[in-house]
Structures are given as C-alpha cells and as structure tokens.
Amino acid sequence: MKFVSSIRFWNCLPILLVFAFGFRADTPQEKIISGFKKYLEELPQEKVYLHFDRPYYSAGETIWFKAYLVAGAQHEPSPFSRTLYVDLLTEKKELVKQLKIFVDAGSANGSFHLSDSLPSGNYLVQGYTRWMKNFDTEYFFRRQIKIWNGETMPDGVALKNKVGVQFFAEGGEWVAGFKSKLAFKAIGEDGLARKIKGKIVDNEGQSIAEFQSNVLGMGAVAMVPLKGKVYRAIIDDPKMEIVLPSVKDSGVALSVTNASTSEDVVARIQSTGLNKTVLVIAQTRGIICYAAKITIPNTLSFVKIPKKNFPTGVVQITVLEESGIPLCERLTFIDQQEGLSIKLESNQKTFKPREKVTLSIEVKDSKGQPVMTDLSLAVCDDQYVLLDDRRENIYSYLYFSSELRGHIESPGYYF
C-alpha cells in the first residue's frame, strides 16, 4: 500500500467522545482505556458496503447489488440488524426509491429497476440500518451513480479555473522552532483534485521552501517556522496567495514516520516546556493497541510504537496532557497484508454466444490456507464498461474510507 498522506488527519470520526461515560478508574490513562472498552461493548459500530454490478446505468435498466453488513472493530457479520435500508436519491437529495432488505448473517442482495422516464444525472445510493441512524450520518454508506437517458448527458461541467487550497499543520498546531510538516490539499469547484505547485515565503518576502502536489492535489512541505513570522503560500497556477496557519509561540508538536520497511511507527514529540509529562494513546477502530506515559527529556522525545500490535486500518495517535486533555493528534495507516488471494478460472478459454460458462473460484488467506468466503461477482463487457483501478472497493471502504469524514477521491489510489 502507498503511504497515506497526513492531509486528512483533521477528519477522524470523534472516537474520543467516550470520555462522557461514567466509570471509575485510578488514573486518566486507565479512564481512557476503560472508556474505549466500554464504547466497544455498548456502542458497536455497524458498517455496510454495497457491491454494484456497474458504475453507471441507462434509464430502464436495473441496478443490481449485494450488501455486506459488519459490526465491531473486527468487521464481523453484524448480529444486530436484520433490515437494511437502501435509498436512491437525486442530486438534490430527493428520494426516488427506497428498499427494505432482509439481512441474513451479514449478507443481503437487492436491485433498483430504473424508470424509462428517469432524467439523466448524478444519483446517490445510500445504505444504512436503524442502528446506524443513532449516530452521525457519516457512518452511512454512500455511492454516486451516473444515469443516462437517451442522448442527454448529466449536468455539470468540470470547472478548472477556481481552485481551493488548504494547509494544515501536522498534529494540529504549528509551533515555533520545531521542524514540522504542513500538509495541503487542492480541489476545484467540481470537488475534484487539482495539481498545484508553488513556494512559501515569510512576511519579508524571503522564499523558505517550494512544494508540489501529487495527482490528487495533495502533498506536504517540511520547514521550521520562526517566532513572530507570518508565512504565505504563493501558488503558480492559478495565481493566488494563501496565508498559512499562525505560528504558536509555545505548545506540543507531533510528527509521525511510518516507513514500510520499519516494524515500528515512530512518533516524534516536541514540547516547549522542559521535562513535560504526557500520555500517548494509539488506537484503531476503538481498540487501544498502545498506551504509555512518558516524560519528554528537555524538549524532544521519540516514541516507537510496534506495528505488530495493530490490526489493519487507520491508526489514531493522540498526545494528551497528564490530566487526559488532548494536545495533538495524527492519523496513519498500518497494513498487515492479511488480504485474501482469489484465483478465478473458467472451464474453457473461448465461448460461443449464449454458451454456458462455469467458473472455479479458489480463495486463500495470507498464509496460503483455503478459507470459506461470502462473495459477489459482477460480469460485464469490458468494451462497454470502463473500470477504474483507483475506484473504491470493500477493502478500501471498510479499513480506510469509512474511518474518515468527507469525500475521498480515488481511494483505491492508496492501495
């Protein structure tokens, strides 16, 4: 898997709200651990993923899909909900159709027949259960579907002139005197990424650093901000200037290195206070896999967090005051390479029109051992249906997209 940029660290779902539980523990660290455990036991999160047979349709056709409903930190088939709601909405969020589907052992299937009179446009399919409605709607599964009717194309032309660019300090705050990263994201008016490049200058006009985004409009630049300085980013195309986050005179800064060749995630914690004591908590989907109380010698400390303790997924690393108040936070991704290997073979190489096709499917785990699976297969003509390798799939959704807020363009790019 490719490195997941820190660009989305500010969008993690609000797991630290578990402090609201009333429990007894001796120390703030024990309270946090107990709170997470209680959260997992009493408020297990459900997720649903819909596998469609195609990414776009014509009016009069049928949208076929299979649903996978899981619950808990380990993504096991959900025992909580038996009914799945699937809505087809217009671009203005007007309801076109709603399905209520029975779920058996975490699995279900259904279809929408599209009316011949349905106008062209971008439609939204969303899936959820009644249990999921108790939480933020960000937990709902959502997928945009394009529908054509005759020669009329969906409204909406990509706007390439206006670009919005945001800069964010790694860990949350930009502290003077500490080398840290600024992550950035550039998007156009259509909500899609734009490639940019430029430079950072101080309030005296001196050039400090240059930056350039990847194809998804993201990137990061490392520098040491100085006390009393105001920094601006000057973008080359389109021409624009952006005032960067303000530099804090004091505070705690967090920087994370997650090299694919290392067995540890390394957190660099810097503090303007001498010998400051902090708590470090790292968790994935509510499972606390690392917790420590450390005293930062002088102003800098390195913390090694073993990757082997974590399941695959987004890791939330939080540095807190000794009293339990969060100071800074960073997300990264750990891939334990536990995916399934699927081998698909047909009974012959070529077929006549309408001739029966027999497929043999073999599924093995990461250790090469055969496993039982509940799967779905969509077969289509590759001359008429273009597939994007960067599209979302069940793996990228369950372990990545569903753990973050907001739209993630081309999630398959990271895997």
Side-chain angles (χ1 to χ4, degrees):
M1 176 183 171
K2 295 185 178 180
F3 172 73
V4 178
S5 169
S6 61
I7 189 70
R8 304 193 66 84
F9 69 87
W10 63 94
N11 272 338
C12 184
L13 294 176
I15 293 180
L16 284 180
L17 292 179
V18 296
F19 289 125
F21 283 116
F23 50 81
R24 296 188 63 182
D26 294 330
T27 67
Q29 182 172 315
E30 291 173 345
K31 287 182 180 181
I32 295 170
I33 295 173
S34 298
F36 272 95
K37 183 178 179 181
K38 193 174 182 68
Y39 180 86
L40 290 175
E41 292 175 349
E42 298 189 4
L43 297 173
Q45 180 188 351
E46 279 190 327
K47 296 180 183 180
V48 60
Y49 177 81
L50 302 183
H51 178 203
F52 297 95
D53 60 326
R54 281 182 281 158
Y56 42 80
Y57 302 85
S58 295
E61 293 185 326
T62 299
I63 299 176
W64 299 93
F65 63 86
K66 180 168 180 178
Y68 299 89
L69 181 63
V70 299
Q74 302 299 338
H75 294 150
E76 297 173 337
S78 176
F80 306 111
S81 298
R82 295 293 185 181
T83 303
L84 174 66
Y85 298 85
V86 184
D87 299 337
L88 178 64
L89 307 168
T90 67
E91 202 164 13
K92 296 181 179 180
K93 303 297 178 64
E94 299 168 337
L95 183 64
V96 178
K97 288 186 178 182
Q98 183 184 76
L99 299 178
K100 295 181 182 179
I101 306 171
F102 174 72
V103 180
D104 182 21
S107 180
N109 59 76
S111 62
F112 284 109
H113 178 71
L114 303 177
S115 169
D116 293 334
S117 60
L118 199 65
S120 299
N122 294 316
Y123 290 77
L124 182 71
V125 178
Q126 67 177 13
Y128 55 93
T129 64
R130 291 186 66 181
W131 174 256
M132 294 168 66
K133 292 180 73 174
N134 292 316
F135 306 93
D136 196 308
T137 57
E138 289 284 346
Y139 288 99
F140 290 8
F141 173 88
R142 291 187 174 91
R143 176 67 56 82
Q144 187 182 86
I145 298 289
K146 292 183 179 292
I147 298 176
W148 280 267
N149 191 336
E151 297 300 322
T152 305
M153 300 298 289
D155 295 330
V157 178
L159 303 174
K160 298 183 179 180
N161 294 328
K162 293 185 178 181
V163 177
V165 184
Q166 293 178 299
F167 284 82
F168 299 89
E170 183 179 15
E173 290 191 345
W174 214 20
V175 183
F178 295 156
K179 184 176 183 179
S180 56
K181 298 176 185 174
L182 279 180
F184 61 89
K185 170 73 174 180
I187 59 174
E189 287 183 279
D190 56 0
L192 300 180
R194 296 288 184 268
K195 291 182 67 175
I196 61 168
K197 65 178 182 177
K199 63 181 179 179
I200 293 176
V201 299
D202 61 17
N203 48 350
E204 298 176 355
Q206 182 178 355
S207 180
I208 307 299
E210 296 183 350
F211 59 87
Q212 184 170 344
S213 73
N214 60 15
V215 295
L216 290 180
M218 296 185 295
V221 57
M223 57 177 287
V224 179
L226 301 180
K227 186 176 180 179
K229 293 282 188 178
V230 177
Y231 297 92
R232 294 172 295 134
I234 300 177
I235 314 297
D236 292 343
D237 184 22
K239 296 290 185 181
M240 58 189 301
E241 292 189 11
I242 299 170
V243 177
L244 298 184
S246 58
V247 179
K248 304 294 183 180
D249 292 343
S250 62
V252 176
L254 170 65
S255 179
V256 171
T257 301
N258 183 10
S260 59
T261 55
S262 175
E263 296 180 351
D264 303 308
V265 173
V266 180
R268 184 180 67 184
I269 305 172
Q270 300 176 94
S271 172
T272 52
L274 297 178
N275 299 318
K276 184 177 181 63
T277 299
V278 297
L279 306 178
V280 180
I281 304 289
Q283 59 86 19
T284 297
R285 297 188 295 278
I287 304 174
I288 293 185
C289 303
Y290 181 88
K293 180 179 179 180
I294 66 169
T295 298
I296 305 173
N298 296 323
T299 60
L300 173 64
S301 180
F302 290 91
V303 178
K304 288 188 175 182
I305 303 174
K307 295 182 183 180
K308 64 180 182 181
N309 297 336
F310 292 82
T312 292
V314 176
V315 179
Q316 180 181 358
I317 302 172
T318 308
V319 177
L320 308 96
E321 290 277 11
E322 195 174 2
S323 61
I325 300 174
L327 294 171
C328 47
E329 186 175 277
R330 171 73 148 79
L331 302 188
T332 187
F333 190 94
I334 290 179
D335 189 351
Q336 299 294 5
Q337 302 293 325
E338 297 171 335
L340 300 177
S341 172
I342 302 177
K343 184 179 180 181
L344 184 67
E345 292 183 344
S346 60
N347 57 318
Q348 57 194 65
K349 292 185 178 180
T350 59
F351 297 88
K352 298 177 182 179
R354 303 292 180 180
E355 187 175 3
K356 182 179 179 180
V357 178
T358 301
L359 297 177
S360 174
I361 303 175
E362 182 182 56
V363 183
K364 295 182 179 180
D365 61 18
S366 58
K367 298 179 181 179
Q369 298 299 314
V371 292
M372 293 185 64
T373 56
D374 180 12
L375 51 82
S376 50
L377 173 69
V379 180
C380 52
D381 191 331
D382 63 0
Q383 299 298 312
Y384 297 96
V385 179
L386 301 178
L387 297 180
D388 180 8
D389 290 338
R390 297 178 179 178
R391 69 189 183 282
E392 189 169 72
N393 54 49
I394 189 170
Y395 187 87
S396 65
Y397 179 77
L398 292 180
Y399 292 104
F400 181 54
S401 305
S402 61
E403 295 294 308
L404 303 171
R405 287 184 181 270
H407 172 69
I408 301 177
E409 184 180 352
S410 302
Y413 167 84
Y414 302 100
F415 294 88

